[in-house]
């Protein structure tokens, strides 16, 4: 039996979020990658703890920083996922995740 919708990266990211009880407010798919939008660093950290990956951040010059986790829907061969989190430049990532920051 074929699924009603193909299981693309966005649906796989949704399934990973449900499996690991991860928060997001939007998941979109672009060029074969799931983009998960969260409300801040604690959400991004939870995604990292569940799925691993690499974390980067970029200041935008106005006192805000855009944090990004690049990962997969499972730790070995899942669909590609980029998790986005806005934060103030004064916000710090949790020490348990700091080693993943590139």
């Amino acid at each position: 039996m074929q699924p009603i919708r193909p299981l693309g990266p966005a649906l796989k990211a949704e399934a990973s979020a449900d499996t690991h009880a991860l928060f997001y407010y939007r998941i979109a798919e672009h060029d074969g990658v799931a983009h998960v939008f969260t409300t801040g660093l604690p959400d991004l950290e939870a995604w990292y703890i569940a799925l691993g990956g690499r974390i980067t951040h970029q200041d935008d010059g106005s006192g805000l920083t855009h944090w990004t986790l690049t990962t997969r829907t499972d730790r070995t061969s899942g669909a590609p996922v980029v998790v986005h989190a806005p934060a103030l430049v004064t916000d710090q990532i949790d020490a348990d995740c700091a080693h993943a920051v590139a």
Side-chain angles (χ1 to χ4, degrees), residues 39-92:
T39 58
L41 279 177
D43 298 330
L44 182 133
E45 292 161 351
W47 279 82
Y48 170 75
I49 290 167
L51 301 175
R54 193 187 80 177
I55 299 171
T56 59
H57 64 95
Q58 183 173 354
D59 295 347
D60 75 357
S62 70
L64 298 177
T65 299
H66 178 206
W67 289 83
T68 306
L69 166 65
T70 304
T71 188
R72 300 187 87 67
T73 54
D74 68 46
R75 289 185 180 257
T76 55
S77 62
V81 177
V82 177
V83 181
H84 304 274
L88 296 172
V89 293
T90 55
D91 292 346
Q92 297 295 311

Side-chain angles (χ1 to χ4, degrees), residues 10 19 22 28 45:
T19 299
L22 300 170
E45 292 161 351

